[in-house]
Amino acid sequence: MKNESTVIDVPAESSSAMKGSAPLIGVARDHTTSDSGGYKRGLSIFDFLLRLAAIIAASVAAGTMFTSDETLPFFTQFLQFEAGYDDLPTFQFFVIAMSMISGYLLLSLPFSVVTIVRPLATAPRLLLLVLDTAAMAFNMAAASSAAAIGYLAHNGNQNTNWLPICQQFGDFCQKTSGAVVSSFVSVVFFIMLVVLSGVALKRH
Amino acid sequence: MAKESTTIDIGEPSTVTKSTSHAVVDEKKKSFVTAAAGGGYKRGLTIFDFLLRLAAIGITIGASSVMFTAEETLPFFTQFLQFQAGYDDFPTFQFFVIAIAIVASYLVLSLPFSIVTIVRPLAVAPRLILLISDTVVLTLTTAAAAAAASIVYLAHNGNANTNWLPICQQFGDFCQTASTAVVAASISVVFFILLIVISAISLKRH
């Protein structure tokens, strides 16, 4: 290292260059890591609470549909006077689908806890987002197909000569309609969960 | 620049400046390269997103128009029963046509946002908007497809317990056309799920 000459010219330029560049890198690094952890943790806690609410909504829907039997007090030889969810394949699909959704939500609770504990990790959130989207589509399919059959049971269809059975089976219709409403509520919770995961994933 | 001394001095400070400036330039290059590399695969994802949207537009317009034109008139008639079948005989199919048409127009309107994400692969706001609105529209599409599917199932199989007769046995063409429309709408549901997953992957930090 041979420093023998004037000091003014070359070191002045290089030191100013070094001073100019280093702090920018330092400030940029400090800024990103400390801010986002706090609010993402808040989002994860809200996500966990939404999951609990969705579990309640989905299991209420499945349970109400499962226990929606009704037997009318009179009988003839010709028509059946019992109605239950297993008389309509769409309602069978509904019960099975809502039970699967409740089970999925229970199994996803640990992943939600992981995102609370480590708010900056993206892999659990991405996994939850993808699975939640698929589960939401499945939930919506069950809810809307049951809603279509429920609408038909309430109103019938003159063109196809399908009679509205709710006029005889009032209790059965009420319970199945309540179950369908509950599963639509769980769909709304799923939408909020997906949007939450999307917002929590984004960079700053 | 007053470099008046021996060549050794000029050589030595200039290597010092060279190393620091290299360090600065390398830092800049590294951050730029990561930006470009991140931009690179994200740009590929957004181009795939754009193509998926175009395909979904085609399929949803197809589904809606196929259901709209699904009519059949049987060649005989009596006084009692109607022997025409069309989509407007079923409120669920009416909902299907309108909902899938709304979904198709949403997809057309979302194409500019998709182009913005191609041009600026690191921008977060357009992707987040697309993710949220895609989720809502996925819900609408699934609702329409599933409701129409349950009515089509009923038309094919009937229900012995409620005395609902399977009408497909008379109206074969109408049933086939309606089933095709429902299948096309279900495929568009799969496309929407893919679009949401792509937006989520593009949003995440590295």
Side-chain angles (χ1 to χ4, degrees), chain B residues 3 7 11 22 26-27 46 52-54 57 66 75 80 88 90 103 105 113 130 145 157 161 175 182 193 196 199 206:
Chain B
K3 294 169 190 169
T7 50
H22 263 202
D26 278 346
E27 289 283 341
T46 41
L52 264 182
R53 262 174 224 280
L54 289 179
I57 289 175
V66 161
F80 302 115
D88 47 357
F90 297 90
V103 166
S105 50
F113 286 91
L130 278 183
N157 300 67
N161 301 309
C175 269
V182 168
I193 294 180
I196 290 176
S199 291
H206 288 281

Side-chain angles (χ1 to χ4, degrees), chain A residues 105-126:
Chain A
L105 281 169
L106 273 172
L107 289 175
S108 71
L109 280 177
F111 289 92
S112 187
V113 169
V114 165
T115 62
I116 294 178
V117 167
R118 295 211 176 281
L120 296 174
T122 58
R125 277 191 211 276
L126 191 59

Side-chain angles (χ1 to χ4, degrees), chain A residues 40-53:
Chain A
K40 286 192 180 182
R41 184 163 284 178
L43 283 180
S44 303
I45 293 174
F46 188 43
D47 173 293
F48 186 77
L49 295 175
L50 273 179
R51 252 170 235 284
L52 290 178

Side-chain angles (χ1 to χ4, degrees), chain A:
Chain A
M1 294 258 206
K2 301 160 196 176
N3 281 339
E4 292 165 3
S5 194
T6 58
V7 182
I8 303 172
D9 295 323
V10 177
E13 292 182 73
S14 58
S15 61
S16 66
M18 285 194 304
K19 274 185 196 165
S21 55
L24 280 174
I25 303 172
V27 166
R29 276 196 198 132
D30 274 349
H31 196 260
T32 46
T33 48
S34 56
D35 277 354
S36 36
Y39 108 94
K40 286 192 180 182
R41 184 163 284 178
L43 283 180
S44 303
I45 293 174
F46 188 43
D47 173 293
F48 186 77
L49 295 175
L50 273 179
R51 252 170 235 284
L52 290 178
I55 288 175
I56 293 174
S59 42
V60 159
T64 310
M65 182 67 85
F66 187 72
T67 58
S68 61
D69 297 57
E70 186 180 0
T71 310
L72 295 182
F74 49 90
F75 55 92
T76 73
Q77 298 161 331
F78 303 116
L79 280 178
Q80 190 172 358
F81 287 109
E82 278 181 302
Y85 83 96
D86 47 357
D87 293 329
L88 290 146
T90 308
F91 287 166
Q92 285 174 330
F93 168 62
F94 180 84
V95 170
I96 293 172
M98 295 316 293
S99 317
M100 285 169 70
I101 299 284
S102 311
Y104 156 75
L105 281 169
L106 273 172
L107 289 175
S108 71
L109 280 177
F111 289 92
S112 187
V113 169
V114 165
T115 62
I116 294 178
V117 167
R118 295 211 176 281
L120 296 174
T122 58
R125 277 191 211 276
L126 191 59
L127 178 71
L128 278 183
L129 188 135
V130 172
L131 292 177
D132 280 347
T133 308
M136 180 188 79
F138 191 48
N139 191 345
M140 193 61 186
S144 60
S145 54
I149 297 297
Y151 175 84
L152 201 56
H154 276 280
N155 300 67
N157 192 311
Q158 284 177 331
N159 301 310
T160 53
N161 215 25
W162 290 341
L163 302 173
I165 64 164
C166 280
Q167 296 178 355
Q168 279 97 33
F169 296 99
D171 271 355
F172 172 69
C173 270
Q174 261 194 349
K175 284 191 184 168
T176 56
S177 307
V180 167
V181 167
S182 178
S183 73
F184 276 119
V185 167
S186 121
V187 166
V188 169
F189 286 156
F190 265 112
I191 293 178
M192 290 163 71
L193 281 171
V194 168
V195 169
L196 242 164
S197 292
V199 168
L201 269 177
K202 77 181 177 79
R203 305 182 306 265
H204 288 280

Side-chain angles (χ1 to χ4, degrees), chain B residues 97-175:
Chain B
V97 169
I98 295 173
I100 301 293
I102 290 175
V103 166
S105 50
Y106 157 78
L107 280 169
V108 170
L109 289 174
S110 74
L111 280 178
F113 286 91
S114 189
I115 291 176
V116 164
T117 60
I118 293 178
V119 168
R120 298 209 177 279
L122 298 173
V124 161
R127 281 190 209 277
L128 195 58
I129 291 174
L130 278 183
L131 182 103
I132 294 174
S133 43
D134 277 349
T135 307
V136 172
V137 171
L138 166 71
T139 315
L140 182 63
T141 314
T142 313
S150 70
I151 297 298
V152 164
Y153 173 84
L154 199 57
H156 275 281
N157 300 67
N159 193 307
N161 301 309
T162 52
N163 215 24
W164 289 340
L165 302 172
I167 64 161
C168 279
Q169 296 178 356
Q170 279 97 32
F171 294 98
D173 271 354
F174 171 70
C175 269

